Structures are given as C-alpha cells and as structure tokens.
Amino acid sequence: MGVWTFTSVFSFDMKLSRWGTNEDLIIQILAHRNAEQRKLIRQTYAEAYGEDLLKALDKELSNDFERLILLWTLEPAERDAYLANEATKKWTSSNQVLMEIACTRSANQLLHARQAYHARFKKSLEEDVAHHTTGDFRKLLLPLVSSYRYEGDEVNLTLAKSEAKILHEKISGKAYNDEDLIRILATRSKAQINATLNHYKNEYGNDINKDLKADPKDEFLALLRATVKCLVRPEKYFEKVLRLAINKRGTDEGALTRVVATRAEIDLKIIAEEYQKRSSVPLDHAIGKDTHGDYEKMLLALLGHEA
Amino acid sequence: MALLDDIEALNKAFSGFGVDETSILSILGNSNHEHKKSLRQGWSKLFCEDEYGFERFDPSHVKNLKLEFKRFRDAVMLSVLHPWERDARLIEKAIKKGPKHYNIIVEIACSRSSEELLGARKAYHSLFDQSMEEDIAAHVKGSERKLLVALVSAYRYEGPKVHDHVAKCEAEILATAVKNGDRKKPIEEEEVIMILATRSKPHLQEVYQHYHKICGKSITEDLEAHGILKDTVECLCTPETYFTRVLDLGLSVDADEESKKAVTRVIVTRKEALVKDVQNKIEGCLKGFYKDFMLGLIARGEK
C-alpha cells in the first residue's frame, strides 16, 4: 500500500467534525513498513496536513495501542531519546530503562539518541540523568549513557585476565559500587567485556551474575546483573523482561510495548526463540492470551514483521 | 672582526624559540673547514676544549638545539592533521605522559565544541582501537580520573536555553564545595564534577555569574590553587583567558620545554580564540620558518 492510501485514511475524517480512525488500517499499514518508509509517511502527512502524524494519533487512540503506535512510528534515535527522557522523569531505583538503552544499543545508535535528545528536549541526556538519578545508581548510569564504546572485535587477553581479577576482588569484597568495577563495565568494548567475563568464569568457577546475587532484594545488584546481561547477552535480558511482563497479574504493558517496539527491527525473532525455549510457550501465544483488541493485533503484527 | 660577527649572529640564530634558518644558511652554508674550526674555537657558549684535544659540543646545548630545530617540523606536522586526529593524538600522548600533562586533556575536552570533541572520540577509536574514555579510565589514577573521564564523555547541549533557578542552586553547590575545600577537595565532590561535565556552556556561564554574586569573587579566582579544576572552569567559559595565560607562559624568557610546546599547540589548534596582540608577542620571541609559519596561521585565522 502506498503512502497516499494512508493519508486517505485521515482525509476521510478531516471532512467530519468527529475524528474516528480505522485502527485495522493503521496496523496493516504501519506494522509492515520499515523505518525509512515510516519516516516518509510521517513527512508526507505533515506536509499534507500541517500536523505531526503522532500528534494527530495522540488525540484519538487508546492508551496501550496508542503508545505502541507512537513508539513504533518514531525513528529509532527519537524513540530512544523519548524513552530515556521518560525514564529520567519518573526514575526510581527499580527502573532499568536507562541502562537498557545505554547498553543494548550500538555506540552509534546511543550517540544518535543523544543527538535526538538535544534536539527534542533542549538539554543533554547526561545532564538529565545526573539531575534525576541518585547515589550508586547515578555512579553507574551516568558513565553508561555517556559512553562511546569501541566497537571492534580486538580483544586483549592479558587485560581480560587482570580485569577479571579486579572484578572478582571487588565482588568478593562486596564493593559493588567500586570505581574500577564501574569503569570496566562502562568503558570497555563489548568484545573486551565478553572476554573478561569468560576468563572470570574459567578462573573463578562462577558466572559473574551468580556472584552478583548475594542479596536478591538489592536493586543496585539487580541493575548490575542486568547491565552485564545487556552488554553480552541482550536477547536473554529482553526475554526475561518479556517473561516478567507477561506473567505479572494483568500484564506490564509498558515493558511489553517497549520491548516489542524497540526490538522489532533488531532481534525480536531471536528473543521470541529464547522465550519459547524458556517458557515452552511461543511468544505469540502468550501475547495473544494476555492482551486483546487492537493492541494485541499490532503486537502480533510487529512480531511477524520482516526487518 | 668577521669571525666574532659570525659567532654573534649564530648565537642569535640558535637562541630562543625556533632557529633562524636563513642566517644559519648564509653563515654555515658558506663556511669552509678552516672557518668552521675557528668558529668552534671562538664559540665558548657551545663548544669547550675536550681533554682529548678537540672542541666538544656542549651536550645540554645539543639537546636544546635539536628541540629548537624540531619546532618548525612539529608545528607543520600538527597543523596538517585533521582536527579530529590532531586532538585524539594530543590526548593519547597526554594520557601516556602522566599527571603533568592532564591539563591538555582538560583543554581539549572543554574548549572544543560538542561535535569537535565527538569527532576526536571517533578518531580515537580508529587510531588506537580503544575508546578515549577507557584509555583515560585505565591510565589515570586518583581524583583526576573521574573528572577527566566525565569531561571527555560529555556531549553538551549547545543551544541557548538556560534554567536560571537551577543555575542558582548549582552555584550554591559549587560555593559550598569551595568553602569546604580544606576538608574535602572540590575535585572529589561528585556534584561538582557532574555540574561541570554535563551542563551546557551557556548554562555554566549563568552558574558563574550567580557564583560571583554569592561569593563576591569569580570562581576561577577561588579555584586558583586547584590545578586542573581551575583549567576546567576557565576553558569552559572563558577559553581566551586560559589560552592567553598558556601563551604568555610559553613565550616568557625562562619557559620550559613543555610550556614552549604548548605555544605551538595553542596557535595551531585555537588560532581563532587568540587575542589581538599575540602577533606582536610572537614577532619578538619566535625565529625563522617557525615564526613565519605561526604568523601565517594566525593571519589566516581558520582551522
């Protein structure tokens, strides 16, 4: 379907005083467009009607569905900026969204998100994180969102050995907010961290996340474990977020929406495979069971989206 | 006598900042074996009688002379690089050379625009197979580490929007940190680092103004004894003051080699931030091709 088909959806309604949108058409059209195409649709709509498509949708759609459409239609960099800003404004010590964005995006994707943040919010992401987070969380989050990691595969094995030792020392001494521990996680390349963690397991017997489980209620430790996962096994991190979101009494739509919208063009299929492995239920079944209406339809359409 | 004139001319050509290549060429280029021998015997500043029967070149002078000959070459090499590569290489060297050179990291991180600093970080990936922040974090110890990593990681908002209320609060935070300076060094105060490393430059200017109102003094005055923290504050909002100071230090009579190198660095990298009378200062101090090259860079004024 062409761009003009989409705008015709709205032109029908412009003639009426009461707006009514055809959600099925929106799902059909948007779900199967890639980022470039969605951008074009947004531009064309704005030229034709003088209004941002997202603002127009905002007035009409119901909460979960609207949010999903909003996130999906935004360009990845804007989307990350939007989510990050939201996360700083309603930040609590259990919120992991800032870390998720900082650690699962590539160095350039994070950079683009920071640029989009300037443009949209007239400040830098790091100043908002500095202003809204506190204590140990801030000590970890600020360097994470400011990083511009080297992306090569080169690994220094001697360094991996010495840094695995540092990590082990600090963790054994329960110095979880130690500067060196944070600096390793926040500045080293993902390949280097992977090598370090492999050495950690070989040398000290346990996965680092096992050793970071000393206190299951400690939210900072939970954030550290999630950071490690995001850096080396993002699909496992996202699988867990989805699993917890779907199993919660009702469903944590916020997390479900976010993961599906942000990973649909990246690795949602791999995450879905992980999900099925772990829960013995295909992800689409689980979503079908726990959500309904247009929201469910859009989620499933994105799940099937070919990147 | 021609010999004494020559020696005097050579002394002049070899002393100071850079060397006078033209003089040297006309005198030494035309010297035959006998004349050179006479020069060595009469030139007590550079040559002394060795016990084995020859006129030996004083080793400390050899070293200095080599540095002065190198000055033009180094200036050209530095100016030819893309600004991103230039800044990345300057920072990498500064990290390796140690604490006395950390002001160079501050200088670059704070006086460049957000895009320029970002470019340097990209170049760093390419040149050194690491990120700038991981290199700094791994090599810098002590209280400077947090500040330096934070400064190079910044991607400051560059618009004019400022929050006056926040600026006032942050000025108060800085004032308190300075006041408690003898109990805890301001550079170790997380809040101080956070303010200086994340806020936009227009916002920081507001903060400085509020600071002045609160304390009656400028923040740079109050941080006089605080090394790179003072450099940070200066470079962020009044870079001309910082660069003028560095230049004056480097052009002074008893400047050491590092201060002299700073002159090349500042002129090559920040011509446009220099005050007007720097040309006169240079005319008086520099020599030869090095001088011509520096004057040319300043006259053109672009990057």
Side-chain angles (χ1 to χ4, degrees):
Chain A
M1 288 186 195
V3 165
W4 291 106
T5 315
F6 186 79
T7 54
S8 70
V9 165
F10 292 90
S11 69
F12 166 71
D13 295 296
M14 293 306 278
K15 298 188 180 92
L16 304 177
S17 53
R18 198 185 159 275
W19 184 278
T21 41
N22 186 330
E23 279 88 348
D24 271 339
L25 212 49
I26 294 177
I27 294 171
Q28 265 181 59
I29 296 168
L30 279 182
H32 301 293
R33 297 285 173 271
N34 66 27
E36 266 308 302
Q37 291 165 329
R38 297 198 303 278
K39 187 174 170 187
L40 191 55
I41 289 174
R42 244 179 112 186
Q43 273 172 0
T44 311
Y45 187 88
E47 279 161 33
Y49 298 102
E51 193 185 14
D52 186 354
L53 172 59
L54 295 171
K55 272 220 177 92
L57 290 172
D58 186 49
K59 296 179 196 150
E60 286 309 306
L61 306 176
S62 79
N63 274 334
D64 297 321
F65 180 56
E66 169 199 332
R67 187 173 162 80
L68 183 55
I69 296 290
L70 169 73
L71 286 182
W72 178 242
T73 314
L74 285 173
E75 276 197 286
E78 263 193 287
R79 184 192 300 151
D80 284 345
Y82 177 87
L83 288 170
N85 179 261
E86 204 180 41
T88 60
K89 287 212 288 254
K90 50 182 201 183
W91 184 79
T92 61
S93 49
S94 57
N95 184 310
Q96 297 188 340
V97 174
L98 288 169
M99 176 284 301
E100 181 183 300
I101 295 174
C103 297
T104 60
R105 310 321 190 227
S106 74
N108 279 326
Q109 284 168 340
L110 179 57
L111 187 58
H112 291 149
R114 289 169 84 178
Q115 287 167 338
Y117 204 97
H118 278 196
R120 188 165 174 152
F121 301 108
K122 311 291 184 232
K123 21 170 70 159
S124 66
L125 171 58
E126 57 267 29
E127 70 185 292
D128 263 351
V129 170
H131 202 65
H132 289 99
T133 62
T134 58
D136 289 343
F137 297 92
R138 182 166 74 175
K139 275 204 181 110
L140 176 62
L141 290 172
L142 191 51
L144 284 182
V145 304
S146 310
S147 67
Y148 184 55
R149 293 179 205 260
Y150 175 64
E151 300 232 281
D153 295 321
E154 290 85 356
V155 156
N156 179 329
L157 290 174
T158 314
L159 191 62
K161 201 169 168 195
S162 64
E163 295 198 329
K165 183 160 183 236
I166 294 174
L167 290 175
H168 188 250
E169 266 169 30
K170 305 300 178 177
I171 293 174
S172 307
K174 297 198 193 292
Y176 304 120
N177 64 353
D178 177 83
E179 261 184 51
D180 273 323
L181 192 155
I182 290 179
R183 122 179 118 74
I184 292 170
L185 291 180
T187 65
R188 292 297 184 198
S189 74
K190 291 179 180 178
Q192 182 67 36
I193 291 178
N194 197 38
T196 303
L197 296 182
N198 283 339
H199 189 89
Y200 185 101
K201 183 160 187 187
N202 292 343
E203 189 70 24
Y204 304 108
N206 282 339
D207 254 328
I208 192 174
N209 273 359
K210 188 148 182 232
D211 287 347
L212 284 171
K213 267 214 176 110
D215 177 1
K217 292 220 179 67
D218 184 329
E219 284 171 327
F220 182 67
L221 280 183
L223 184 62
L224 272 182
R225 292 196 303 272
T227 302
V228 167
K229 257 206 197 144
C230 280
L231 288 170
V232 297
R233 298 277 178 277
E235 65 284 351
K236 287 216 155 85
Y237 165 85
F238 284 117
E239 179 276 324
K240 184 170 181 188
V241 172
L242 282 180
R243 185 166 27 96
L244 294 178
I246 295 175
N247 284 348
K248 251 185 173 171
R249 180 175 284 264
T251 293
D252 180 354
E253 290 87 2
L256 179 55
T257 304
R258 183 182 81 244
V259 174
V260 171
T262 58
R263 305 313 281 183
E265 278 168 318
I266 318 241
D267 55 2
L268 192 54
K269 295 233 164 46
I270 301 178
I271 296 169
E273 276 167 28
E274 280 294 323
Y275 185 89
Q276 176 148 16
K277 251 194 254 169
R278 185 71 170 67
S279 335
S280 309
V281 174
L283 183 56
D284 52 3
H285 284 195
I287 288 177
K289 199 158 164 241
D290 259 23
T291 61
H292 57 269
D294 303 309
Y295 180 52
E296 173 194 337
K297 279 191 219 161
M298 185 65 179
L299 284 172
L300 293 175
L302 289 181
L303 201 51
H305 178 93
E306 292 304 321
Chain B
M1 201 198 123
L3 183 64
L4 284 175
D5 290 338
D6 277 352
I7 290 178
E8 203 192 307
L10 283 175
N11 263 334
K12 217 166 151 225
F14 281 169
S15 63
F17 228 119
V19 293
D20 185 349
E21 288 89 349
T22 325
S23 270
I24 294 169
L25 192 61
S26 74
I27 301 172
L28 287 178
N30 291 323
S31 293
N32 61 20
H33 177 77
E34 282 306 315
H35 190 67
K36 274 199 284 203
K37 186 170 174 145
S38 313
L39 282 174
R40 283 195 298 272
Q41 284 167 340
W43 200 352
S44 53
K45 188 173 171 206
L46 254 53
F47 292 92
C48 51
E49 186 68 32
D50 186 274
E51 59 181 356
Y52 283 94
F54 65 96
E55 310 89 21
R56 201 173 99 162
F57 204 158
D58 181 308
S60 67
H61 275 104
V62 173
K63 186 161 175 267
N64 287 341
L65 210 48
K66 282 187 177 166
L67 289 172
E68 295 306 335
F69 268 106
K70 257 181 52 156
R71 233 169 268 293
F72 174 54
R73 182 196 87 180
D74 290 345
V76 169
M77 298 295 279
L78 199 62
S79 84
V80 137
L81 293 175
H82 188 291
W84 294 359
E85 180 173 355
R86 189 191 300 154
D87 284 347
R89 286 195 186 277
L90 284 171
I91 289 184
E92 197 262 350
K93 261 219 208 102
I95 297 172
K96 298 293 170 353
K97 281 189 165 169
K100 290 215 172 75
H101 295 82
Y102 292 164
N103 66 306
I104 297 178
I105 303 175
V106 167
E107 180 183 303
I108 294 176
C110 298
S111 66
R112 307 313 191 234
S113 74
S114 293
E115 292 306 320
E116 287 171 336
L117 179 56
L118 185 61
R121 289 171 86 180
K122 289 182 180 166
Y124 208 96
H125 279 200
S126 183
L127 295 168
F128 305 112
D129 291 339
Q130 290 192 90
S131 66
M132 193 186 279
E133 60 267 28
E134 81 183 280
D135 227 2
I136 293 178
H139 287 96
V140 175
K141 308 277 178 252
S143 41
E144 284 111 340
R145 177 162 83 179
K146 273 218 193 107
L147 177 67
L148 292 178
V149 171
L151 288 178
V152 304
S153 305
Y155 185 56
R156 295 176 205 263
Y157 171 61
E158 301 219 289
K161 190 155 184 205
V162 161
H163 302 272
D164 197 59
H165 171 72
V166 177
K168 188 149 180 262
C169 291
E170 295 187 335
E172 278 163 19
I173 293 174
L174 291 178
T176 311
V178 167
K179 216 170 13 160
N180 296 333
D182 37 7
R183 258 174 292 148
K184 185 177 185 193
K185 290 196 265 177
I187 198 178
E188 287 165 10
E189 251 335 310
E190 252 181 52
E191 293 287 339
V192 169
I193 295 182
M194 227 152 280
I195 293 168
L196 294 178
T198 65
R199 293 298 186 195
S200 73
K201 290 176 184 179
H203 178 91
L204 286 173
Q205 265 158 352
E206 275 291 303
V207 172
Y208 292 179
Q209 281 173 17
H210 281 290
Y211 185 97
H212 206 288
K213 279 193 219 149
I214 298 171
C215 299
K217 280 197 192 154
S218 79
I219 189 172
T220 38
E221 270 183 82
D222 275 346
L223 287 173
E224 191 60 49
H226 292 267
I228 61 172
L229 201 54
K230 177 192 172 180
D231 292 338
T232 302
V233 161
E234 238 181 6
C235 280
L236 282 170
C237 294
T238 50
E240 323 76 40
T241 317
Y242 170 86
F243 286 121
T244 305
R245 184 161 52 85
V246 171
L247 269 182
D248 283 345
L249 189 63
L251 293 172
S252 66
V253 168
D254 44 4
D256 61 16
E257 180 55 27
E258 286 312 318
S259 306
K260 284 181 165 181
K261 282 210 176 97
V263 171
T264 304
R265 182 182 75 243
V266 167
I267 295 179
V268 169
T269 62
R270 286 288 117 170
K271 304 167 266 316
E272 68 282 6
L274 302 177
V275 292
K276 293 304 164 197
D277 70 345
V278 80
Q279 262 157 305
N280 296 334
K281 291 183 194 168
I282 289 177
E283 274 288 355
C285 285
L286 272 46
K287 285 193 160 41
F289 294 162
Y290 177 61
K291 175 178 88 172
D292 295 337
F293 192 61
M294 293 290 103
L295 287 175
L297 287 176
I298 293 174
R300 275 201 315 281
E302 17 77 15
K303 292 187 212 288

